Amino acid sequence: MAGSRHSVVHLASPDDMEQQFYEALQHADLDRLMSVWSDEEEISCVHPGGPRLLGPRAIRASYEALFVHGALHVEPTQVRRLHTHSTAVHSLVERARVMTPRGPESAWVLVTNVYVKTGHGWRLVSHHASPGAPDEPGEALPSATTLLH
Amino acid sequence: MAGSRHSVVHLASPDDMEQQFYEALQHADLDRLMSVWSDEEEISCVHPGGPRLLGPRAIRASYEALFVHGALHVEPTQVRRLHTHSTAVHSLVERARVMTPRGPESAWVLVTNVYVKTGHGWRLVSHHASPGAPDEPGEALPSATTLLH
């Protein structure tokens, strides 16, 4: 149906956009990933331990470099949402599957994602990620060992 | 004049609030610092290398613990602003003065501050800080040695 994709974009919530963001990472889909981001020059991105990246060009290049190694095994957990009419601030803990000398383990990354409502729908304007402590998720979640079974 | 303080708060811009935030850190002024923050339960804060903190109570306690050691020698630099009608996302590099075996040096912290416009004016709802690389500020700024003279 003509215009249906456009409608979907407009109706998408911040949660929908966040789901698209992580699915794009999980499939190393660069175009889909960048469609979640705003195209403003002032958007910012910090990968864990990395420098500050500003603007769509630098951010796209960073993901392109990451995807050389394939898709990212990362999923959002413990999402806390602060929503206003036109702003959505999501604080979450990413669980990443990483290889270690002891085999695959979970690593935890603290993330703040900020979305703003634009004329084209909700768009990501800031992604700040930093390494979490090994026991980040706390006692409320099953252990990494359990998660891998 | 009755109500003048209220007016000032309403007129304060995100930049004004950010200035108050850093002045409060520089003076270890806990009450002033917390007046910059929103009082919503979903506000979030990550100190460099620290865990995720949620809500005014946990955030206040973390600054109280920091201030036990005195004021923080930290100042915002290279502020990049993404502003909408009711959202302000600031990506910046904090310069912190730290003591090392070689004497005082500058450390760099990558920070994302998010402000939203509330009925009481602009308020901080998210502060995410993570360690930057030693050469974070790049060649455009004077060296740490120069800064300390």
Side-chain angles (χ1 to χ4, degrees):
Chain A
M1 202 189 316
S4 61
R5 185 176 178 278
H6 193 66
S7 304
V8 167
V9 169
H10 267 285
L11 290 172
S13 69
D15 279 349
D16 294 333
M17 297 306 282
E18 193 150 82
Q19 187 178 342
Q20 288 198 42
F21 179 77
Y22 284 101
E23 285 182 8
L25 290 179
Q26 289 154 8
H27 294 90
D29 186 336
L30 190 58
D31 286 336
R32 187 177 176 193
L33 184 74
M34 292 313 296
S35 74
V36 175
W37 281 91
S38 162
D39 55 8
E40 289 194 49
E41 285 304 319
E42 297 302 316
I43 60 176
S44 59
C45 178
V46 178
H47 296 299
R52 174 174 70 161
L53 305 169
L54 296 168
R57 185 190 299 246
I59 293 172
R60 183 184 181 95
S62 73
Y63 284 112
E64 198 165 17
L66 281 172
F67 290 163
V68 166
H69 309 288
L72 304 186
H73 302 285
V74 59
E75 58 176 312
T77 73
Q78 303 178 69
V79 183
R80 298 291 291 256
R81 299 167 180 84
L82 189 147
H83 284 190
T84 70
H85 172 67
S86 56
T87 316
V89 182
H90 289 191
S91 169
L92 53 96
V93 181
E94 287 179 0
R95 178 171 47 213
R97 203 176 67 209
V98 292
M99 261 301 164
T100 77
R102 295 177 302 279
E105 293 191 355
S106 285
W108 307 96
V109 179
L110 304 182
V111 172
T112 305
N113 287 329
V114 185
Y115 305 85
V116 298
K117 201 174 190 174
T118 75
H120 307 290
W122 290 92
R123 287 292 180 276
L124 184 62
V125 297
S126 171
H127 171 79
H128 192 142
S130 56
D135 59 348
E136 194 62 49
E139 64 291 318
L141 281 188
S143 73
T145 310
T146 309
L147 291 170
L148 288 167
H149 286 174
Chain B
M1 201 192 313
S4 61
R5 185 178 177 280
H6 193 65
S7 304
V8 168
V9 169
H10 268 283
L11 290 172
S13 69
D15 279 349
D16 294 333
M17 298 306 283
E18 193 150 83
Q19 186 177 342
Q20 288 199 41
F21 179 77
Y22 284 101
E23 285 182 8
L25 291 179
Q26 290 155 6
H27 293 89
D29 187 336
L30 190 58
D31 286 337
R32 187 177 177 194
L33 183 74
M34 293 312 297
S35 74
V36 175
W37 281 91
S38 162
D39 55 8
E40 288 193 51
E41 285 305 319
E42 297 303 314
I43 60 176
S44 59
C45 177
V46 178
H47 296 299
R52 174 174 71 161
L53 306 168
L54 296 168
R57 187 190 297 247
I59 293 171
R60 184 183 181 96
S62 73
Y63 284 111
E64 197 165 18
L66 282 172
F67 289 163
V68 166
H69 309 289
L72 303 186
H73 302 285
V74 61
E75 57 176 313
T77 73
Q78 304 177 70
V79 182
R80 298 291 291 256
R81 299 167 179 83
L82 189 148
H83 285 189
T84 70
H85 173 67
S86 56
T87 317
V89 182
H90 288 191
S91 168
L92 53 96
V93 181
E94 287 179 0
R95 178 169 50 212
R97 203 175 68 210
V98 293
M99 262 303 165
T100 76
R102 297 176 303 280
E105 293 190 357
S106 285
W108 308 97
V109 179
L110 304 181
V111 172
T112 305
N113 287 329
V114 185
Y115 305 85
V116 299
K117 201 174 190 175
T118 74
H120 307 289
W122 290 91
R123 288 291 182 276
L124 184 62
V125 297
S126 172
H127 171 79
H128 193 143
S130 56
D135 59 348
E136 194 61 49
E139 63 293 319
L141 279 189
S143 72
T145 309
T146 309
L147 291 171
L148 288 167
H149 288 172

